[in-house]
């Protein structure tokens, strides 16, 4: 999976990694810490409500969050589109910040005095959209417990939720609640879009900093490793990377003349030919020492020896290591 059509997710992953690493290197994590007492109630440092979303407190939370964003955020952004996903992320951060402030005010006397660092609420909001939008592909059981392909992602989210109780669990609940509020029709939050000027600015100045979003170009040609390493590539294959073939490694005795210009073409059996060989037993005969001749070899020899039956030509080719030896065998048989 690549970041194709997922520029916002890639930006989130890169920015979270950079800010978390720099906060640890320069020992400025205390600027991202958020406590109701004394940061908000006594010192009125309300800017911490925003900065605590920018960096994670340790590398383990950062690693798990990056895994979730990569596996979940890319799929949700492709479903939403980059513009809607960016708007969703902006709305989720604002709503979760408001809910975190209300939670601190209401429950700071019962132990909830601080909020975990990092955009965990946004991650759980994305996880909620993932649970509602993306269906499971397959299911399986472990010790009788039914699971599916999405279970591992939820387990990673659970690890973040219980990493620093009770604040991490509160942030997880707030993130899920934020995702529910966005998905509902409450206040029409799901219809909000960022201004076009902001989108144009990020597309022009920030997107180039993220890097290319193109997936790696892969060759669809299924060829053995020894063929790719030993045989030189022709100009036709160099200009056409999308040629799909399941050919075997070519043999020197399978080369035929292809036209008046003297172009040489390698005759390679197809998948259907291999399947027919297995049904007819030709493949088994090849495994026990009988060479399976190609149709080009048979046609070439029948044209050279028109008086000899086709079965005799095929038998000579099967018992000979190459076509030259088969020619000698047929010549000896006529003498």
């Amino acid at each position: 999976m690549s970041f194709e059509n997922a520029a916002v997710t890639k930006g989130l992953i890169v920015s979270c990694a950079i800010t978390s690493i720099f906060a640890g290197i320069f020992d400025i994590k205390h600027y991202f810490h958020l406590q109701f007492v004394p940061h908000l109630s006594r010192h009125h440092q309300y800017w911490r409500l925003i900065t605590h979303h920018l960096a994670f407190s340790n590398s383990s939370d950062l690693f798990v969050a990056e895994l979730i964003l990569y596996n979940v955020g890319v799929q949700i952004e492709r479903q939403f589109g980059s513009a809607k996903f960016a708007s969703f992320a902006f709305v989720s951060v604002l709503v979760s910040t408001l809910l975190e402030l209300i939670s601190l005010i209401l429950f700071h006397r019962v132990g909830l005095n601080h909020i975990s660092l990092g955009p965990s609420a946004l991650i759980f909001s994305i996880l909620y959209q993932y649970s509602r939008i993306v269906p499971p592909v397959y299911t399986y059981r472990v010790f009788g417990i039914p699971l599916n392909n999405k279970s591992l992602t939820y387990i990673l989210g659970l690890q973040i939720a219980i990493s620093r109780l009770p604040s991490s669990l509160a942030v997880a609940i707030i993130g899920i609640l934020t995702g529910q509020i966005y998905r509902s029709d409450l206040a029409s939050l799901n219809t909000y879009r960022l201004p076009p000027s902001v989108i144009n600015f990020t597309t022009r100045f920030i997107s180039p900093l993220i890097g290319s979003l193109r997936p790696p170009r892969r060759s669809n040609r299924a060829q053995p490793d020894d063929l790719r390493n030993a045989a030189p590539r022709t100009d036709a294959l160099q200009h056409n990377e999308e040629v799909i073939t399941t050919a075997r490694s070519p043999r020197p005795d399978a080369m035929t003349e292809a036209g008046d210009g003297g172009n040489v073409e390698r005759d390679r059996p197809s998948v259907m030919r291999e399947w027919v060989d297995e049904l007819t037993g030709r493949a088994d005969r090849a495994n026990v020492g009988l060479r399976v001749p190609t149709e080009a070899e048979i046609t070439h020899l029948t044209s050279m020896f028109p008086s000899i039956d086709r079965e005799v030509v095929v038998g000579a080719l099967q018992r000979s290591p190459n076509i030259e030896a088969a020619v000698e065998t047929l010549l000896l048989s006529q003498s």
Side-chain angles (χ1 to χ4, degrees), residues 123-144:
I123 291 174
F124 280 98
S125 181
I126 296 175
L127 273 175
Y128 178 79
Q129 309 301 322
Y130 176 73
S131 66
R132 297 297 301 271
I133 295 175
V134 180
V137 178
Y138 57 87
T139 59
Y140 58 95
R141 289 179 176 271
V142 177
F143 300 111

Side-chain angles (χ1 to χ4, degrees), residues 277-312:
D277 290 345
E278 292 179 359
L279 291 180
T280 57
R282 295 177 68 187
D284 296 334
R285 285 182 292 173
N287 293 332
V288 297
L290 292 179
R291 190 174 68 89
V292 180
T294 63
E295 190 64 30
E297 293 175 338
I298 298 173
T299 304
H300 188 59
L301 288 189
T302 52
S303 63
M304 292 178 60
F305 302 94
S307 61
I308 300 179
D309 294 337
R310 178 184 175 90
E311 290 77 9
V312 177

Side-chain angles (χ1 to χ4, degrees), residues 32-287:
F32 300 92
H33 191 63
L34 175 62
Q35 282 185 304
F36 183 78
V37 180
H39 294 152
L40 298 181
S41 62
R42 188 179 308 167
H43 302 309
H44 306 291
Q45 296 175 346
Y46 298 107
W47 50 269
R48 292 181 181 270
L49 291 170
I50 302 300
T51 58
H52 86 280
H53 291 290
L54 301 179
F56 287 94
S57 58
N58 54 64
S59 58
S60 61
D61 289 347
L62 173 64
F63 178 70
V64 175
E66 300 282 65
L67 287 178
I68 295 176
L69 283 176
Y70 180 73
N71 290 286
V72 176
V74 172
Q75 300 185 52
I76 300 302
E77 183 172 356
R78 289 174 179 172
Q79 292 281 342
F80 282 3
S82 295
K84 182 179 178 180
F85 185 77
S87 305
F88 156 74
F90 178 74
V91 171
S92 295
V93 170
L94 290 183
V95 174
S96 62
T97 301
L98 179 61
L99 293 178
E100 288 172 353
L101 177 60
I102 295 175
S103 301
L104 289 175
I105 295 175
L106 295 179
F107 303 108
H108 72 279
R109 297 184 182 275
V110 294
L112 185 62
N113 188 46
H114 72 281
I115 295 294
S116 298
L117 274 68
S120 301
L122 174 61
I123 291 174
F124 280 98
S125 181
I126 296 175
L127 273 175
Y128 178 79
Q129 309 301 322
Y130 176 73
S131 66
R132 297 297 301 271
I133 295 175
V134 180
V137 178
Y138 57 87
T139 59
Y140 58 95
R141 289 179 176 271
V142 177
F143 300 111
I145 302 175
L147 302 172
N148 56 51
N149 62 299
K150 300 165 62 176
S151 301
L152 181 59
T153 303
Y154 297 146
I155 292 174
L156 293 176
L158 179 62
Q159 181 177 347
I160 295 180
I162 63 176
S163 60
R164 281 167 179 76
L165 296 173
S167 61
S168 58
L169 181 60
V171 171
I173 296 174
I174 289 172
I176 295 174
L177 183 60
T178 301
Q180 291 177 333
I181 293 174
Y182 182 86
R183 192 166 180 83
S184 65
D185 293 332
L186 182 63
S188 299
L189 294 178
N190 52 5
T191 61
Y192 172 78
R193 297 294 181 272
L194 291 173
S197 58
V198 176
I199 297 177
N200 294 333
F201 176 81
T202 55
T203 303
R204 183 175 179 181
F205 297 103
I206 300 180
S207 293
L209 301 177
I210 298 176
S212 176
L213 301 175
R214 291 183 179 181
R217 187 176 181 85
R218 299 183 178 93
S219 175
N220 292 327
R221 292 179 290 111
Q223 293 181 347
D225 293 335
D226 54 352
L227 174 62
R228 289 197 297 264
N229 297 331
R233 299 174 59 189
T234 61
D235 294 338
L237 292 179
Q238 289 177 357
H239 289 86
N240 185 11
E241 291 290 341
E242 299 301 325
V243 177
I244 301 177
T245 175
T246 56
R248 291 177 180 171
S249 177
R251 297 183 301 271
D253 53 19
M255 300 175 62
T256 59
E257 295 294 331
D260 298 335
N263 295 328
V264 177
E265 179 182 359
R266 300 175 184 264
D267 185 20
R268 299 167 180 170
S270 62
V271 175
M272 183 60 68
R273 173 75 60 80
E274 295 176 0
W275 181 66
V276 173
D277 290 345
E278 292 179 359
L279 291 180
T280 57
R282 295 177 68 187
D284 296 334
R285 285 182 292 173
N287 293 332

